[in-house]
């Protein structure tokens, strides 16, 4: 069972929630429901205290020590230190205890200081002042004292203290603008809508008079999902039920923008807020060098155990003769003779373990950590990786993976915002086969008066002109853009070119580009006021449309719709989305002409959208309202029911046209990709865009070349052939060429290398990853990997965020175990960034969530070139030479040539003859002298344990075994010391 699940169950039981249910009931303002409505059941919820710290004052020492000694190196040196304390050993416990104490202390101080900073930040957050309504008045209290059900007021530029259901705002339309940069990294503004029956409340007295209950789901970590409903009790017997969704939920950590104030009721507090539930530590990533060090440690530990075991056996073989076991100068006591043989053998084995302990260097781990930490500053100090345009420099979130940068074999990159600028520019639109582009040129001639329409390739007829104006109205109405009537506003915005002092605010750069582009074609979106959308047509006449419903965009449908009512009473449904999601829903329109234009724009690398509509009669609209209302108030499977309702509504459409938006390549993106490929690194592009658009971008950034033969593994091809046949055909193609190339090279003939590029879409990948009917899925995966290995580049299009992570994991766990790197700039790239060995976030326009969850962050994609090919290269060289030097220094063959390593041998020799190693000034660098009276007993004990091994060691170390009463010098050179009888 998952540990987090166990903790949740224990927490629920300890909180007195034995009868746990999937929903909770919240009493707004802590007011009980009217008699006869429903039973009042008071529930206990946590307070609003946030705890992000890891330790407390009482558990810091035991918890920190437990975590540190989980490392195999620390645990090993702890065992050696304890052995030295318990038994008589040739070396002092200080030799192992002092370095271990230093490492443990420094690490504990560092982690304790970091946790103290977290405590400090928690206290500042928990003690900040919050305004809430009590008995019709505004009262201030600390944030940690908020309770579920309190009505809170938040002012502009303040962060929400807990998760709130949006009741009302100072804006007349009951909306507010919010930025969630601290939650999901998105810096753009998001629009939230108040509950329909409460959006008119303006004063504290109005809000305090609300008599309602909220039924909603239990806390969930999903930031974009919320299911609930509000029961509003008026004078009527039955309450008014209003659905609550994510558009009504204001999350803790988000900031209120461009709205004077809002009122909301607290539903999730403290550690049950969605922000707190998303506090999850990233999985610990370890570099290949660190894993190798652990392998070396185990190997050297085996060598150490073997040496200790062999020497223990040799000792008892030597002492099998009585005169060797008890020489005349070193007789045993009676208690020593009666000791258990196995106990003596075990203590002797431990003594030899301590004697040869030097072959595992404790100082190496300290030095490696310091080298990684200090070396990480080389990236942050690099002035060439600083971007003056954004004022951002590279960030190092972890220093444990520095050397991994120099060993990357596969790079998985996002397209939009990573390879491209994510700065959308409206290029053209196609209506009924007539093309409009943002230039004042028509058929090669400059139009004399083209202020309204920039270009028309051929004049449409009367019916065509009606469709044309309907298309422009659809672009002006089918969006979620908000307008602020001020010169200055926070967040991404674009001011209309007409000189009107209004600012467009949207969470989607595509929508901004479309509204700005259609404005240059004569139609200007003005504002949303009193649930009416106002636009200005070509004749500067004001048109008003009542906004009836919004069918929100989602990544599965890949389209959005609005239902509006004109001043003449006509009801329209306008729908826009990807061509693959619009064309199947269309029953009328010039589909072939528009499809060909969409395909042409996609080949040129433009982002395309299609626009369609249909008229609704009153009976159809009433049926739609009932269908949507039933889905919106459902507490179970609401998303599924809404998706089914949207599918029924968005059908039998009439196609109007298509738009094209350009997303330009980033500076030097092509040069960077080319340099990485020349370095032997394979680059894969993982994107959610359509195949044609993504392929054009790959050609532009030199991932694909004109000589590249493209292999397609797409849904369209699988429909024509089975997946098995397609995979075998692709495998045969690439393997046949590689085999013929090998034969040509062997025979001495020259052959040019055929360049292959693979294109796969999300649906085909799902079939490859899906287990077969016989329970095996490895066959398809191996064939797919075999094809990928023989391709110079791979493009994965129409990918969901989870599929990106699946691709990375598939390559990471292949039999070659290559080092992988994932780079992206948006929240949808976090999954693959966390999955790869090294994750790099681009500090781009889609927010900072990718940068915060990554191991490294860079301002632009072009900086990846120097990070890998320069910094990564030198990092790996430094750490490799450092680790090899330490193991070389402690290896037995090298220690023979180093005078300090002979100290252990001198200890053994002196102990064997009843002496002790000491130093005094003399002709040589040191001298062996008689032991002090208190040291003789310890030396004799060591001598008995070492037995003949000391002679073997002294001979191997270049020392002639000294005879009793004579002086000998080392054979290898000048005297190390004098041996005195």
């Amino acid at each position: 069972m998952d540990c987090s699940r166990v903790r949740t169950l224990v927490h629920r039981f300890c909180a007195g929630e034995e009868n746990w249910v999937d929903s909770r009931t919240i009493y707004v303002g802590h007011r009980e429901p009217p008699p006869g409505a429903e039973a009042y059941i008071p529930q206990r919820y946590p307070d609003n205290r946030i705890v992000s710290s890891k330790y407390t004052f009482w558990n810091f020492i035991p918890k920190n020590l437990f975590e540190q000694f989980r490392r195999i190196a620390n645990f090993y040196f702890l065992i050696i230190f304890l052995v030295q304390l318990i038994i008589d050993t040739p070396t002092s416990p200080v030799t192992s205890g002092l370095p271990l104490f230093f490492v443990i202390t420094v690490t504990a101080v560092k982690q304790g200081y970091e946790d103290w900073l977290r405590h400090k930040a928690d206290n500042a957050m928990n003690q900040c002042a919050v305004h809430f309504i009590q008995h019709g008045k505004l009262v201030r209290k600390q944030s940690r004292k908020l309770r579920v059900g309190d009505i809170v007021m938040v002012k502009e530029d303040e962060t929400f203290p807990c998760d709130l259901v949006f009741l009302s705002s100072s804006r007349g339309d009951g909306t507010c603008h919010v930025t969630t940069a601290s939650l999901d990294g998105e810096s753009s503004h998001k629009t939230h809508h108040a509950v329909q029956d409460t959006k008119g409340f303006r004063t504290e007295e109005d809000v305090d008079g609300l008599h309602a209950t909220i039924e909603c789901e239990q806390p969930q970590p999903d930031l974009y999902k919320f299911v609930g409903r509000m029961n509003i009790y008026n004078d009527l017997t039955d309450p008014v039920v209003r659905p609550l969704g994510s558009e009504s939920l204001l999350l803790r950590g988000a900031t209120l923008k461009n709205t004077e104030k809002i009122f909301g009721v607290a539903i999730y507090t403290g550690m049950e807020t969605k922000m707190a539930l998303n506090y999850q530590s990233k999985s610990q990533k370890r570099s290949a060098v660190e894993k190798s060090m652990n392998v070396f440690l185990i190997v050297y530990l085996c060598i150490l155990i073997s040496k200790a075991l062999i020497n223990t056996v040799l000792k008892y073989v030597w002492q099998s003769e009585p005169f060797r076991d008890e020489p005349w100068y070193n007789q045993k006591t009676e208690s020593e003779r009666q000791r258990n043989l196995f106990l003596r053998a075990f203590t002797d084995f431990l003594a030899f373990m301590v004697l040869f302990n030097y072959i595992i260097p404790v100082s190496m781990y300290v030095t490696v950590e310091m080298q990684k930490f200090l070396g990480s500053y080389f990236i942050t100090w690099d002035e060439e990786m600083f971007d003056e345009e954004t004022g951002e420099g590279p960030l190092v979130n972890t220093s444990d993976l520095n050397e991994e940068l120099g060993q990357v074999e596969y790079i998985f990159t996002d397209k939009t915002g990573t390879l491209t600028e994510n700065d959308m520019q409206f290029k053209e639109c196609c209506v009924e086969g007539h093309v409009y582009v943002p230039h004042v040129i028509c058929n090669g001639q400059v139009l004399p008066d083209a202020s309204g329409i920039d270009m028309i390739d051929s004049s449409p007829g009367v019916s065509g002109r009606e469709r044309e104006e309907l298309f422009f109205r659809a672009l002006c109405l089918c969006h979620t853009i908000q307008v602020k009537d001020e010169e200055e506003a926070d967040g991404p915005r674009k001011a209309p070119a007409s000189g009107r002092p209004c600012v467009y605010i949207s969470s989607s750069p595509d929508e901004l580009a479309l509204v700005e582009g259609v404005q240059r074609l004569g139609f200007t979106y003005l504002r949303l006021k009193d649930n009416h959308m106002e636009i200005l047509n070509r004749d500067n006449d004001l048109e008003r449309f009542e906004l009836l419903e919004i069918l929100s965009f989602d990544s599965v449908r890949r389209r959005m719709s609005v239902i509006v009512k004109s001043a003449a009473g006509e009801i329209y449904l306008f729908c826009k989305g990807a061509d693959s999601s619009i064309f199947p829903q269309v029953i009328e329109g010039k589909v072939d002409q528009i499809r060909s234009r969409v395909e042409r724009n996609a080949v040129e690398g433009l982002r395309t959208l299609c626009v369609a509509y249909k008229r609704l009669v009153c009976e159809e609209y009433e049926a739609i309202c009932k269908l949507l209302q039933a889905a919106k108030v459902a507490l179970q499977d609401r998303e599924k029911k809404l998706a089914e309702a949207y599918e029924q509504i968005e059908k039998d459409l009439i196609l109007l046209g298509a738009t094209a938006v350009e997303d330009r390549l980033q500076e030097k993106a092509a040069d960077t990709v080319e340099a990485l490929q020349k370095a032997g690194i394979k680059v894969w592009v993982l994107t959610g865009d359509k195949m044609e658009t993504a392929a054009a971008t790959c050609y532009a950034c030199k991932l694909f070349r004109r000589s590249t033969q493209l292999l397609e593994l797409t849904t369209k091809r699988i429909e024509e052939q089975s997946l098995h046949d397609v995979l075998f055909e692709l495998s045969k193609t690439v393997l046949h060429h590689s085999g013929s190339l090998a034969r040509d090279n062997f025979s001495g003939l020259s052959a040019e290398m055929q360049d292959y590029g693979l294109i796969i879409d999300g649906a085909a990948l799902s079939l490859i990853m899906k287990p077969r009917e016989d329970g095996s899925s490895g066959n398809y995966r191996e064939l797919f990997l075999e094809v990928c290995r023989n391709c110079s580049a791979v493009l994965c299009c129409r990918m969901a965020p989870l599929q990106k992570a699946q691709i990375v994991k598939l390559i990471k766990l292949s039999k070659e175990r290559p080092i992988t790197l994932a780079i992206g700039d948006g929240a949808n790239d976090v999954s693959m960034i966390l999955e790869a060995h090294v994750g790099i976030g681009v500090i781009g326009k889609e927010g900072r969530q990718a940068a915060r969850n990554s191991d490294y962050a860079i301002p632009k994609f072009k900086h990846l070139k120097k990070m890998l090919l320069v910094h990564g290269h030198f990092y790996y060289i430094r750490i490799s030479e450092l680790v090899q030097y330490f193991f070389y220094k402690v290896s037995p063959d090298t220690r023979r040539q180093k005078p300090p390593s002979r100290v252990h041998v001198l200890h053994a020799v002196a102990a064997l003859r009843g002496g002790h190693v000491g130093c005094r000034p003399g002709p040589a660098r040191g001298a062996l002298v008689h032991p002090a009276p208190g040291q003789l007993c310890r030396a004799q004990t060591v001598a008995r344990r070492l037995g003949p091994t000391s002679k073997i060691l002294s001979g191997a170390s270049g020392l002639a075994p000294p005879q009793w009463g004579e002086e000998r010098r080392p054979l290898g050179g000048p005297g190390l010391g004098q041996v005195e009888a």
Side-chain angles (χ1 to χ4, degrees), residues 351-364:
F352 280 112
M353 287 279 292
V354 174
L355 178 63
F356 299 124
N357 175 45
Y358 59 82
I359 71 173
I360 298 180
V362 63
S363 60
M364 179 185 67

Side-chain angles (χ1 to χ4, degrees), residues 479-675:
H479 56 73
T480 57
I481 288 178
Q482 296 291 324
V483 179
K484 183 175 177 63
D485 293 327
E486 294 181 8
E487 291 290 348
E488 298 294 333
D490 297 322
R493 68 269 186 182
K494 291 187 179 180
S498 62
R500 180 182 172 84
C502 62
V503 177
Y504 292 148
I505 305 172
S506 175
S507 60
S508 171
D510 293 81
E511 288 188 339
L512 287 175
L514 291 176
V515 173
E516 184 193 41
V518 76
Q519 180 193 4
R520 296 205 304 269
L521 297 177
F523 284 77
T524 303
Y525 173 64
L526 298 179
R527 60 179 175 175
L528 174 65
K529 182 180 180 181
D530 298 331
N531 212 37
H532 284 75
M533 304 180 77
E534 299 179 356
I535 65 174
L536 204 63
N537 60 23
R538 286 180 183 153
D539 301 325
N540 287 330
D541 295 332
L542 183 67
E543 298 182 7
R544 294 185 49 145
F545 292 83
E546 181 182 358
L547 181 60
L548 301 178
E549 296 287 348
I550 297 179
L551 281 58
S552 304
F553 175 86
D554 63 71
S555 57
V556 178
R557 283 172 37 246
R558 298 182 65 84
R559 59 179 182 265
M560 74 157 291
S561 301
V562 294
I563 301 178
V564 296
K565 185 177 182 180
S566 67
E570 296 179 328
I571 301 177
Y572 293 93
L573 182 144
F574 293 116
C575 181
K576 73 175 181 183
D579 58 325
S580 59
S581 64
I582 294 293
F583 285 143
Q585 312 297 324
V586 170
I587 60 172
E588 185 181 338
K590 298 185 178 181
V591 178
D592 294 335
Q593 296 180 10
I594 296 176
R595 189 197 301 271
S596 63
R597 192 69 190 183
V598 167
E599 293 175 352
R600 174 183 171 183
N601 290 332
V603 169
E604 294 178 358
L606 302 179
R607 298 164 63 92
T608 58
L609 287 175
C610 293
V611 180
Y613 85 105
K614 72 174 179 180
R615 284 188 173 89
L616 301 174
V617 297
C618 294
E619 292 77 10
E620 290 178 315
Y621 173 67
E622 291 175 359
I624 288 175
C625 288
K626 293 180 181 179
L627 186 63
L628 290 176
Q629 181 68 12
K632 287 179 179 179
V633 298
L635 289 180
Q636 301 293 331
D637 299 327
R638 177 183 292 184
E639 291 185 349
K640 181 180 178 181
K641 293 178 180 178
L642 279 175
E644 293 174 352
Y646 291 164
E647 196 68 27
Q648 294 183 35
I649 296 170
E650 296 171 330
K651 64 180 182 180
D652 300 333
L653 303 177
I654 301 174
L655 186 62
L656 286 174
T659 63
V661 175
E662 182 186 24
D663 189 6
R664 295 178 297 176
L665 277 181
Q666 281 198 13
E667 179 187 4
K668 297 183 179 179
D671 296 339
T672 302
V673 170
E674 188 176 17

Side-chain angles (χ1 to χ4, degrees), residues 36 195 237 274 276 334 481 485 664 731 785 809 814 838 841 850 857 935 973:
V195 180
T237 305
K274 289 183 179 291
E334 190 62 29
I481 288 178
D485 293 327
R664 295 178 297 176
S731 177
L785 288 174
K809 186 176 182 179
S814 61
V838 182
Q935 298 169 336

Side-chain angles (χ1 to χ4, degrees), residues 456-475:
I456 304 176
D457 57 352
S458 59
S459 300
V462 176
S463 61
R465 191 168 183 83
E466 293 178 358
R467 290 285 179 89
E468 169 195 303
E469 294 186 353
L470 198 59
F471 174 83
F472 294 146
R473 289 189 180 94
L475 292 182

